[in-house]
Structure formats: structure tokens, C-alpha cells
Amino acid sequence: MTKLIIDGVEVDVPPDYTLIQACEAAGAEIPRFCFHERLSIAGNCRMCLVEVKGGPPKPQASCALGVRDLRPGPNGELPVVFTNTPMVKKAREGVMEFLLINHPLDCPICDQGGECDLQDQAMAYGVDSSRYAENKRAVEDKYIGPLVKTSMNRCIHCTRCVRFTAEVAGTGDMGSIGRGEDMEITTYLESAMTSELQGNIADLCPVGALLPKPQNFRARPWEMQKTQSIDVMDALGSAIRIDTRGREVMRILPRNNDAVNEEWISDKTRQVVDGLKLQRLDRPYIRENGALRAASWQEAFTAIAGKVKAVPAGKIGAIAGDLCAVEEMFALKLLMEKLGSPNLDCRQDGAALDPKFGRASYLFNAGISGIDEADSLLIVGSNPRLESPVLNARIRKRWLRGDFSIALIGAKADLTYDYAYLGAGPETLAAPGAWPPAASKKPMLILGQGALTRADGAGVLALAAKTGGIVREGWNGFCVLHTAAARAGALDLGFVPGQGGLNAQAMAQGGMDVLFNLGADEIDIGPGAFVVYQGSHGDRGAQRADVILPGAAYTEKSGTYVNTEGRVQMAARAAFPPGDAREDWAILRALSDALGHRLPFDTLSALRAALYAEHPHFAALNAVARGDAGGIAAVAAAGGAPGKAAFANAITDFYLTNPIARASAVMAECSALARGRVQQAAE
């Protein structure tokens, strides 16, 4: 630790701190535009100037000066820094005056108004007049894709966006051309950005030069109600903030959570907003003579009860989808138990995961933050860039630190970091050569759903569990990367076939007379079964349904989710479902009455009490209950016969992976651009 005195306050900070970080630790507010804790230091804006006693007789940029570089006094006194002297005040006013020479003063019509760092700091550190009367420079707006709108007259060349795409996203989409007054920030030949994290540059931009295009001029920040929640577009469980105006979700922004997503979110998480209000199911429907007609709740329940009571329990099944909260899956599981049916499954993709082996057999055991500790990585049957872009950025962050070897078994892809390609299929996994490296103390194996959703998935899982060295004293490097937000929580519940029960594929292929479909839109259900679909959007599941019960989207209910590492998180309700739609647990509770098997709760709190009594770890929010590593050995012992076919990635179109995303026009445009890039590369 290093001691220094800032504005009369003695602080003790790590020696790798910059002076701006030390000033913050001392409680001093330092303005800045270019500095960001998660990006490299540029020192462009010069707004963070401070005065260092004994240093050169001029203000110094605190972002580019390390505390270890400060000199002690002549008699060994601690270094002294001032942040509010007349020199500092005059210097900051001068910098602000320079920044505003070319900046258009269009604050009343700027969509960044109310959230603009330049606006706030001009009020706090600027002056009320300018000595410059020359014409302001003009810069043409650039097309950089469907997600980010440009207004480059406002750009102050902080280069946060350039550094983000180069360092965090790893695509290097943005850069600068020209020099001096002619410098411009743009993409190569003004083409669309290719990163799945590009929307984050709108958050990073301290002025109104880069703005989220789909939400442009739709609402002012002070008009919106802000709700802290959890993302369900993938299994990472990113911390998000949902901003609503009235009953409508206006935008989704990231929240800081160093253990999970740091402060980034994927473009699908951010811009799926328009899909929340399109193709919505807002009333019950019943299929008559091949066509769906609107019905009342009572009519729908009566039709379902008539079918259920006419078939044996063994011919009733339930499948849970990828966006379900733990509460509704728990309620559906209880209902199936009361009906006497063992046919239930959450693995609509056929993943070979089974809770009987314990949590360690299906979780990202090293933890998301464990990537920072790992010293080698083997990726099997996965493309983290498409399956979890924020997690992929974390892998890249660890790779940039060096001394981190990465190998891949499966389909080749641009993952934004270098890796050694070992092979394509299970035969390579059985003998991965020199992996893990002999010097590796914390090796990590990421097993993707592309390796588990095959007919030989159980054999591949056992083969991965046998990989030597990944489980050691104090370290469990066996990591399953899920793609479905509901999967880990459903496996924790035991939402899998009971004794003699059928799995999702067998139920969908005609094994049931009555099938409850709880938001499972990624599976094709064959003819024969009477399908009761409960979900929020008119997607594949609703098209096959005989009765539709309109449910709530993830922004419209309070629900528990378990992310891929086993972290229990709570999503909050930010809006209300449209029309007659209701929260899913409440629908199942009402349906249980009609079926004559009343569920033992009337409120969400009572449901959660029953859930916590049966599964206590769900009550520990934001905590990870680690699985017993012995379960991995049990998986390895279970064995299986892996085939020889090459691994195929579970996700090929990042933007269209669930009903909400497929309802989004913005996601459709992004998907078309991505397909065009793939086709162009193939040619």
C-alpha cells in the first residue's frame, strides 16, 4: 500500500492505483471524460487536472499519473496533492472552454440531455461565457450499424468507444482518421459494427455523439421509472436496470456487478425492448375447427380440465422453456405431482444433464469471476461469443493479461482472442494432447451445449469429466456453459422425468395425450397431443397450442433465476402484463382449482415459502451454493459411448434465440446484417 495526502486527508491505497483513483478514495471528486476504470489510459481530455506539491509548476493529469510515481518531500514527508486550488480551478475552466469551442450548444434537443457528462461538468467546472466566436466545425454523421446513432458534431475525441471495441469487445470496429481539428471517430469505410457488445459504447460516450438508435428521442430520463432486475437473454444473469414509462418498457441498461457482468451487457439484452410489446398474447385462446378463437379464462380452464380428467396420469406431461422463473416451474412441478405424472422436463434441447449427479455436474463451477484466476482454458463444443458475449469478453480480458493458453475443440470461430485448435469432435476430447499444460495450476474446461445436446451427449459429458487435472484441491475447473436462463434453476428443482417418465423429446414426438408447455418455444411438438401453451408471445409454441394461456414476460413479474454458475438472483417486476395476461404462477394456481388439485399457496410469498422449505438454497440471493466435486467423478464413472461426429455450436444466430428476440424488429435487422457478413465471408 502507498500513503499520500490529498486535500489534507491521508489515504493508504494500492501502489497500482492512478492518482485519480486515489483522489476518489479520499473523497475528492475529479471530473473526467476519457478515463474509465475498465479501459486503458488515454489522457486525452485533460479534465482531471490536479496540483502535486513539489512537482512541476503546472497542473497534472491525475488519470495518467500513478501514485507510485509521486515523490516524497525533502525530509521523507508523504506526497501531497491538491484538487481544489486556484491553479486547478483555472486549468479546468480552460479545458472546458476548449472542449466547448466546437461543441454544438443544442442541449434542449439533444437526446443525451439529463445524462450528459459534458453538460454536468460544464455546469460544475466551466464558466458562463466563451472567448471564441469562430464558426464551429461540422462533421458528417456516420452509419455504424442499427444499434448506435451518431451525432459526431458533439464528439470530444475521448476515444472511449475506440478503446472499448479494441480492448473489451475485441473487434476493433472503431478508430480515428485525420489529425487535429480534422480528426473523426468512425468505423472502417463507415460499415456496421460487428460486435455483440457494441451497444455499450453509447453508455460510455460522455456526450451525445453516440446514442442508442432504437430509443432515440422516445423519452427523457426523468420521465422513466427505474427498476433493478436480472437479464434472461442468456444464462449469465447480467445485472440490468429496466426503465419504464407508464406500462411500457422504454430501455434496458446495465448495472455494475463485478462478480457477473462487470458493467457490460450484450446487444440482445439491451435492444430486445421492442420485442416485449410485439406479438404479445393478451387473452386466452381455444382452438376450434383448426382455428384459434379468443375465450375467457373459465372457458380455457374448463377445456383443459375436460381433457386432463379424460386421460390417465401417465399420458400427461409438462415441458418448461428457457425463460421460465423458478417459481412457476416449482408450481408446475407440484401440479404434475398432484396429477400423478412423472413426465416433466426442462431440457427441451435434449441436453444430457441430470441433477442426480449433483450441482457440480451441471454448473460453471469455477465461477464467472474464476476466469480471472484460471491459467489455461479448454473450450469444448461452444462458441462463447454467441452463447454469452459478456462472458467471452471476460475470457478476452484474462487473455490480454498474458500467461493464459486457450484451446478449442469444436467448430472454428472468431472468438476475439487467439486459441490453439485441437480438433473437431469427441475423439480429440478423449486425447487432448498437451492440455492442460504441465505448468497449469488452475485449468478450466468450458463445456458448451453443442457438446451436450447430441444423441451421445451423456458420453461426451463423461468424457469431459474424465479430463485430467481440472478438479484439484481448492479448484474446480469443470464448467458447463448454459444458454438458457431457466436451465440451472430447473435442474436445481429436479424438473426432469421421474421414475418411468418420458423426456422432452419423447413427449414432443407423440408420447402424450395432454402436454403442458410452459414457454417452451425451441422444440417441435408433433401431432396427437392436446397442447396447453402458457407463455407471453405468439411464437412456435402458441402456433401448435390447442389452448393458450397468456403469461407475463420477464420484465412483468418478480421471479427467481439461477445463472450458469449457480448464483441465485431475483428479477423484479418493472411493468404489468398486457390485457388479460397474468403471472405464470398465478395461472397455474387458478388452473389447479379447475383440475381439482389445488396448489397449497395463494400468494407469491406463500409459494416462495414452500419453495425455500423444499430447496433452501433458493433463499440465499446473490449467493452461490457450490456443488460437491464428487458429482463430477460420478458423471465420469457413468460413462457412455461418444460418437465421432464433429461438435456443432448450439447457437448460430445470436440475435434470434427466444420468442422475445424473434418478435423484435431491431433483432431481425441485426440478424440480417450478421447473416450477410457470414455469406460475404464464405464468398
Side-chain angles (χ1 to χ4, degrees):
M1 303 293 280
T2 303
K3 291 184 178 181
L4 66 159
I5 298 174
I6 300 173
D7 292 340
V9 178
E10 182 178 320
V11 294
D12 195 4
V13 298
D16 57 347
Y17 262 32
T18 58
L19 191 50
I20 192 173
Q21 292 171 304
C23 290
E24 288 182 339
E29 182 179 344
I30 306 296
R32 85 289 301 271
F33 293 114
C34 67
F35 177 77
H36 192 279
E37 288 81 357
R38 303 191 193 277
L39 302 176
S40 62
I41 295 170
N44 292 337
C45 71
R46 318 308 288 181
M47 194 66 197
C48 62
L49 297 172
V50 297
E51 182 179 351
V52 179
K53 183 178 180 179
K58 63 177 183 178
Q60 300 197 54
S62 59
C63 72
L65 184 63
V67 295
R68 60 160 59 96
D69 298 324
L70 297 177
R71 294 183 300 174
N75 298 314
E77 299 94 338
L78 296 178
V80 178
V81 178
F82 301 102
T83 69
N84 52 13
T85 61
M87 177 199 288
V88 172
K89 183 175 184 295
K90 184 177 179 180
R92 289 175 180 170
E93 288 176 351
V95 170
M96 182 59 68
E97 189 176 11
F98 275 120
L99 287 174
L100 294 178
I101 289 174
N102 284 311
H103 193 81
L105 303 181
D106 56 357
C107 296
I109 62 165
C110 176
D111 206 25
Q112 189 87 338
E115 296 177 316
C116 177
D117 291 348
L118 183 64
Q119 189 179 59
D120 295 340
Q121 294 183 36
M123 293 294 293
Y125 304 101
V127 292
D128 59 356
S129 62
S130 175
R131 290 171 287 177
Y132 296 91
E134 289 77 15
N135 292 330
K136 294 180 182 289
R137 71 175 188 144
V139 183
E140 288 187 6
D141 294 340
K142 309 295 192 297
Y143 173 79
I144 60 175
L147 301 182
V148 181
K149 173 183 179 292
T150 61
S151 184
M152 302 312 291
N153 282 336
R154 303 167 183 162
C155 181
I156 62 171
H157 301 157
C158 71
T159 67
R160 280 185 179 183
C161 55
V162 176
R163 284 174 284 150
F164 175 82
T165 57
E167 298 165 12
V168 179
T171 55
D173 286 327
M174 302 197 74
S176 61
I177 58 174
R179 298 184 66 184
E181 188 180 57
D182 296 325
M183 177 179 171
E184 297 181 18
I185 304 295
T186 182
T187 57
Y188 181 67
L189 298 180
E190 297 189 29
S191 58
M193 290 186 286
T194 59
S195 172
E196 294 78 21
L197 299 168
Q198 60 185 271
N200 291 287
I201 66 173
D203 293 338
L204 290 172
C205 184
V207 296
L210 301 174
L211 296 164
K213 186 179 289 186
Q215 283 84 43
N216 194 36
F217 291 115
R218 294 191 62 214
R220 290 295 192 181
W222 54 83
E223 299 176 325
M224 294 184 280
Q225 181 73 31
K226 301 166 179 62
T227 306
Q228 295 186 357
S229 191
I230 300 298
D231 172 53
V232 300
M233 291 296 108
D234 56 30
L236 191 70
S238 299
I240 59 173
R241 192 188 83 193
I242 304 171
D243 288 359
T244 56
R245 186 176 63 183
R247 297 176 64 96
E248 184 179 359
V249 175
M250 304 303 293
R251 65 179 181 180
I252 294 174
L253 298 175
R255 289 189 293 120
N256 190 75
N257 187 346
D258 287 339
V260 181
N261 61 305
E262 297 183 311
E263 59 188 84
W264 319 122
I265 55 174
S266 72
D267 294 334
K268 184 166 53 178
T269 298
R270 182 186 301 271
Q271 299 296 3
V272 79
V273 171
D274 63 322
L276 289 167
K277 63 181 181 180
L278 299 175
Q279 297 187 12
R280 288 304 303 269
L281 300 173
D282 60 357
R283 68 191 69 182
Y285 287 88
I286 296 176
R287 189 176 299 277
E288 291 182 352
N289 300 321
L292 290 169
R293 70 165 179 86
S296 66
W297 281 104
Q298 190 57 48
E299 286 181 288
F301 288 162
T302 301
I304 296 169
K307 287 290 185 179
V308 170
K309 292 175 181 177
V311 301
K315 287 293 186 179
I316 302 173
I319 303 176
D322 293 346
L323 305 183
C324 298
V326 168
E327 286 83 355
E328 57 244 32
M329 291 189 289
F330 180 66
L332 181 56
K333 184 172 183 284
L334 288 181
L335 181 59
M336 295 300 292
E337 289 174 356
K338 286 181 174 292
L339 292 173
S341 173
N343 306 307
L344 66 162
D345 203 353
C346 64
R347 305 160 303 182
Q348 57 174 326
D349 56 5
L353 297 169
D354 198 319
K356 70 182 181 181
F357 294 113
R359 295 191 96 207
S361 68
Y362 58 82
L363 291 183
F364 202 95
N365 292 289
I368 296 165
S369 60
I371 294 172
D372 300 336
E373 303 177 34
D375 52 19
S376 62
L377 172 64
L378 176 62
I379 302 172
V380 180
S382 175
N383 181 342
R385 180 174 174 181
L386 299 185
E387 295 170 20
S388 185
V390 177
L391 182 139
N392 192 66
R394 194 139 192 167
I395 296 174
R396 174 178 168 78
K397 174 186 171 184
R398 173 63 187 89
W399 172 75
L400 286 172
R401 277 171 41 203
D403 194 25
F404 186 56
S405 62
I406 304 176
L408 173 70
I409 299 176
K412 291 183 178 180
D414 177 9
L415 299 180
T416 72
Y417 41 80
D418 296 334
Y419 58 83
Y421 185 70
L422 301 185
E427 291 179 331
T428 307
L429 179 59
W435 197 93
S440 178
K441 296 180 179 179
K442 293 186 175 182
M444 175 183 288
L445 183 149
I446 294 181
L447 186 62
Q449 299 303 301
L452 298 173
T453 56
R454 304 153 38 114
D456 61 347
V460 173
L461 178 64
L463 203 57
K466 293 176 184 176
T467 304
I470 57 173
V471 179
R472 306 181 181 188
E473 182 67 29
W475 175 256
N476 187 344
F478 182 80
C479 302
V480 176
L481 179 58
H482 291 286
T483 57
R487 187 64 53 79
L491 292 172
D492 281 351
L493 286 173
F495 202 98
V496 293
Q499 185 68 33
L502 300 181
N503 62 22
Q505 287 65 43
M507 287 189 276
Q509 292 167 6
M512 296 292 104
D513 289 340
V514 176
L515 183 59
F516 290 95
N517 181 343
L518 185 61
D521 291 278
E522 315 306 321
I523 187 170
D524 290 318
I525 300 175
F530 180 85
V531 179
V532 179
Y533 177 77
Q534 184 177 330
S536 60
H537 284 69
D539 203 74
R540 186 186 302 171
Q543 294 170 8
R544 171 61 184 86
D546 295 287
V547 175
I548 295 176
L549 305 178
Y554 72 103
T555 57
E556 299 159 359
K557 61 187 176 185
S558 174
T560 303
Y561 291 89
V562 181
N563 76 348
T564 192
E565 65 176 341
R567 184 179 301 274
V568 180
Q569 298 176 296
M570 184 77 74
R573 182 174 64 190
F576 290 91
D580 290 335
R582 296 291 182 268
E583 292 188 49
D584 296 284
W585 72 267
I587 296 173
L588 290 165
R589 165 63 184 81
L591 177 60
S592 69
D593 266 345
L595 298 179
H597 296 279
R598 184 172 185 170
L599 293 176
F601 49 80
D602 294 317
T603 63
L604 184 57
S605 58
L607 186 159
R608 284 177 175 155
L611 171 66
Y612 299 158
E614 190 167 334
H615 304 278
H617 74 280
F618 284 117
L621 293 180
N622 298 315
V624 179
R626 298 296 181 190
D628 181 4
I632 299 173
V635 169
K644 297 183 178 181
F647 295 130
N649 293 327
I651 293 177
T652 55
D653 192 334
F654 165 73
Y655 298 100
L656 304 177
T657 57
N658 60 64
I660 303 175
R662 287 190 287 269
S664 167
V666 177
M667 292 296 98
E669 184 177 357
C670 292
S671 174
L673 280 172
R675 290 197 305 271
R677 287 194 296 268
V678 172
Q679 184 176 357
Q680 186 177 11
E683 294 173 352

